[in-house]
Amino acid sequence: MNVEPYELVSTPDGITARIRARGRAVLATPMINRGTAFTTEERDALGLAGLLPDGVSTPEGQLRRVYAQYQRVPDDLARNVFLANLRDRNEVLFYALLAAHLPEMLPIVYTPTIGQAIERYSHEYHRPRGVYLSIDRPQDVEQSFRNFGLGPDDVDLIVATDAEGILGIGDQGVGGIEIAIGKLSVYTAAAGIHPNRVIPVVLDVGTDNRALLDDDLYLGHRGPRVRDQRYDDLIETYVTTASRLFPHAMLHWEDFGAGNARRILQLYAGRYCTFNDDMQGTAAVVLAAAFSAVRTAGTRMRDQHVVVHGAGTAGLGIADMMREVMIGEGLSEQEATSRFWALGSRGLLVDDSSRLRDFQLPYARPAAQVAGWPGAGAGGGGVDLATVVEHVRPTMLIGTSAQAGAFSEPVVKQMAAHTERPIIMPLSNPTPRAEALPADLLAWTDGRALIATGSPFAPVPHGTRTHRIAQANNALVFPGIGLGVTVARARRVSDGMIAAAAGAVARLAATGSGDRDGDDAAAPGPGAALLPPIEDLWSVSAAVAAAVVRAAVDEGLAQVPVTDPDKQVEQAMWRPRYPRIEVC
């Protein structure tokens, strides 16, 4: 009979590990292995005598040692592999190290370095983590989850990807499992989601990446990406099976292609507890920056005229969320939609185009409205950004185009000529793809621009003031959203819960505090960033989670009693500490 090597249980004095394994099996189990930190008594009881050096380390000493080792690793990809190997042998120490140095290591375990790890997955293959669901074997979905070994009350989060739209590097096939693993590492390090209560999943539906198909070491389904009914059937089987086996889990969609991300979320969001970080997480963190910016500018969301340069899933997901806020502030749906001007790869979206996706249609401008503009009409080549800015006079400019330098000096100066505090967000990353650099935006607007970026930037001096630049990093919101859903046992993730997360983040960026929805929060002070720094991620996640819990209660979506959201969130956050040992 298969006997689990250990069991974690909650006791009055904290978490206890009831360990059944002995000897090398203990050292081979990452969640209970503490290596040189096992005491002499623990070593005797667990059959470890002679299997470790004689010296006993403190957890603090282990942390110093492993960080020194990390610092000697020569490059970012090697550091990613180093951390993965550490996690494979001592999970508590891995998360303790990650939590202690999160701003430094977040780019290593997640974007951008994880992109290299994904590309090298089949060559750097090590211990498997997660569940691999193949398009060739849909009948194995349930058994695959059962083989993972967790019961119906044991799972809080499942992150799944089909790896078509990975981190700007596109279709990566089975290597996409690494993005699910990386995402869950951030959930744990930033919000205390227990690493034993999550499942990374890759939906291996083939790949159109010729380099992978020609690689004899490639480990995934060796065939073109499946796009027919079999794909939808696998998604349906995954959702229904995962939700039935793990009824309390939030299903997180990650890095799906533009053709599938939105339609899958819309198909299941009303029936299951699902969340798409590329759409909803991005929208929430940008909305948080917008909340801060409009307060600083002394205006309201409903007063904004917004140009979105990059009318894809992320860009129009942002527009959707902002539009809902404007409606909440009293505009009709038609009035709110009219505040947005969206540009795709062929210029301004216009309703006489035959190339619009369904989610772009609401934002397409009437052709008659722009008939006299340069580039409009058949054979005109499309209305470009400079023309839109000249005619619309926007107050907010959002970039999700991945077109470096798209927010040029003439465009920005044209915008700044008609608004006192232009709100400009070049969100494309990495840095070489940014639509503009913060130093240029401040120079072109005489320091008046209110800025949030997709990549991290150092503070920018301008005149007598130094401006801290907000990074619209999804890590400010998605860990707290997942934690809040877990604490409330929410039936689904609503727009109101996402907006509550954005309000909480904006409130933390302000110099003062306001009501729980963030409506009365003070604006950030002069030169302050529009968003809190990554260094504050643990406290940000706690605040976001509490706001999400309150929203879930207000909307009748919570499935457990909630008496003190802040306290319940705090109690739910796992900290990477060695548990008390009980030898069985």
Side-chain angles (χ1 to χ4, degrees), residues 344-385:
S345 59
R346 299 175 182 86
L348 182 68
L349 301 187
V350 181
D351 64 6
D352 64 352
S353 172
S354 61
R355 298 176 175 177
L356 297 179
R357 295 181 179 271
D358 57 350
F359 63 87
Q360 295 174 323
L361 290 172
Y363 296 100
R365 310 302 298 197
Q369 189 179 60
V370 300
W373 296 12
V383 179
D384 65 13
L385 178 63

Side-chain angles (χ1 to χ4, degrees), residues 232-430:
D232 287 345
D233 290 345
L234 181 62
I235 296 293
E236 175 74 13
T237 301
Y238 159 68
V239 172
T240 56
T241 303
S243 297
R244 174 169 50 83
L245 295 179
F246 312 112
H248 306 305
M250 184 179 85
L251 307 184
H252 174 134
W253 305 101
E254 183 70 18
D255 284 349
F256 282 70
N260 289 316
R262 180 177 290 261
R263 73 179 186 89
I264 288 174
L265 182 65
Q266 290 178 338
L267 180 61
Y268 294 109
R271 295 181 285 150
Y272 297 94
C273 187
T274 70
F275 171 75
N276 185 307
D277 185 49
D278 304 305
M279 294 171 56
Q280 294 166 294
T282 298
V285 73
V286 175
L287 182 60
F291 280 152
S292 294
V294 297
R295 289 192 190 101
T296 301
T299 60
R300 299 170 298 176
M301 284 297 299
R302 61 173 290 169
D303 300 325
Q304 306 310 304
H305 290 80
V306 184
V307 170
V308 179
H309 186 54
T313 298
L316 294 188
I318 293 167
D320 287 345
M321 186 66 67
M322 289 186 175
R323 182 176 64 171
E324 289 303 309
V325 172
M326 292 179 180
I327 293 171
E329 292 183 356
L331 297 184
S332 68
E333 182 176 347
Q334 182 178 359
E335 289 171 329
T337 305
S338 72
R339 299 289 199 272
F340 293 87
W341 301 74
L343 293 92
S345 59
R346 299 175 182 86
L348 182 68
L349 301 187
V350 181
D351 64 6
D352 64 352
S353 172
S354 61
R355 298 176 175 177
L356 297 179
R357 295 181 179 271
D358 57 350
F359 63 87
Q360 295 174 323
L361 290 172
Y363 296 100
R365 310 302 298 197
Q369 189 179 60
V370 300
W373 296 12
V383 179
D384 65 13
L385 178 63
T387 300
V388 172
V389 170
E390 178 184 357
H391 285 78
V392 173
R393 298 184 175 182
T395 59
M396 189 181 297
L397 183 57
I398 295 172
T400 52
S401 66
Q403 294 179 11
F407 296 171
S408 64
E409 183 175 359
V411 166
V412 172
K413 285 189 170 181
Q414 176 67 240
M415 178 185 183
H418 300 288
T419 182
E420 179 61 28
R421 301 302 306 271
I423 301 167
I424 307 177
M425 303 190 200
L427 300 175
S428 296
N429 57 47

Side-chain angles (χ1 to χ4, degrees), residues 419-483:
T419 182
E420 179 61 28
R421 301 302 306 271
I423 301 167
I424 307 177
M425 303 190 200
L427 300 175
S428 296
N429 57 47
T431 302
R433 297 185 179 184
E435 287 82 4
L437 301 179
D440 290 335
L441 295 176
L442 290 167
W444 298 335
T445 63
D446 194 27
R448 293 184 288 123
L450 297 166
I451 303 168
T453 61
S455 298
F457 285 92
V460 178
H462 181 82
T464 60
R465 180 171 294 160
T466 296
H467 297 257
R468 290 194 301 116
I469 307 302
Q471 183 191 1
N473 191 323
N474 288 24
L476 291 168
V477 293
F478 76 79
I481 291 172
L483 177 60

